[in-house]
Amino acid sequence: MEDLIAAAAAVRENAHAPYSGFRVGAAIRTPDGRIFAGCNVENVAYPEGTCAEAGAIAAMVAAGERRIAAIAVIADSPAPVPPCGGCRQRIAEFAAPDAPVTLATTAGATMRTHVAALLPGAFGPDHMAS
């Protein structure tokens, strides 16, 4: 997971966060080992910004990938920051419940969890079956 944390930390530097100053980076690994990264992009018309996790997922999908094997998120905060509710659902759309999630701070603290722990009882495609 160190490579994912490093990729998330690198892309975090490109975040556009002039309003909150809270820059976040996320990196996704696909089952074939490809890494996709995203950073948060704020907009003066809150809440029309884009989360780092959503940016990484969009990059992955744009490249033709559809599965998340692992994800890392990093921010400059006192404790590791979990994804927002919307991003938890986005991650669950593309990742297995047991896919590893690493949350990190720029100071080096980490918390390891998995997708099902982030979004217990997730709404999924099986709920859409007729």
Side-chain angles (χ1 to χ4, degrees), residues 2-90:
E2 295 305 318
D3 59 338
L4 280 185
I5 294 171
V11 76
R12 179 186 164 277
E13 296 300 319
N14 296 330
H16 178 73
Y19 309 105
S20 72
F22 192 70
R23 296 179 300 157
V24 181
I28 291 168
R29 183 185 348 275
T30 60
D32 66 358
R34 294 176 71 187
I35 294 177
F36 296 93
C39 58
N40 59 318
V41 179
E42 292 180 352
N43 185 295
V44 71
Y46 272 165
E48 297 301 318
T50 303
C51 295
E53 300 89 337
I57 290 168
M60 176 190 77
V61 171
E65 296 283 351
R66 295 290 187 271
R67 296 300 304 156
I68 295 172
I71 186 167
V73 180
I74 190 168
D76 183 16
S77 57
V81 176
C84 73
C87 285
R88 291 174 193 221
Q89 183 65 47
R90 286 179 186 92

Side-chain angles (χ1 to χ4, degrees), residues 75-126:
D76 183 16
S77 57
V81 176
C84 73
C87 285
R88 291 174 193 221
Q89 183 65 47
R90 286 179 186 92
I91 293 165
E93 179 80 12
F94 296 98
D98 63 348
V101 177
T102 300
L103 308 173
T105 70
T106 55
T110 60
M111 181 180 120
R112 299 189 193 286
T113 187
H114 55 280
V115 172
L118 288 179
L119 190 63
F123 179 78
D126 292 344

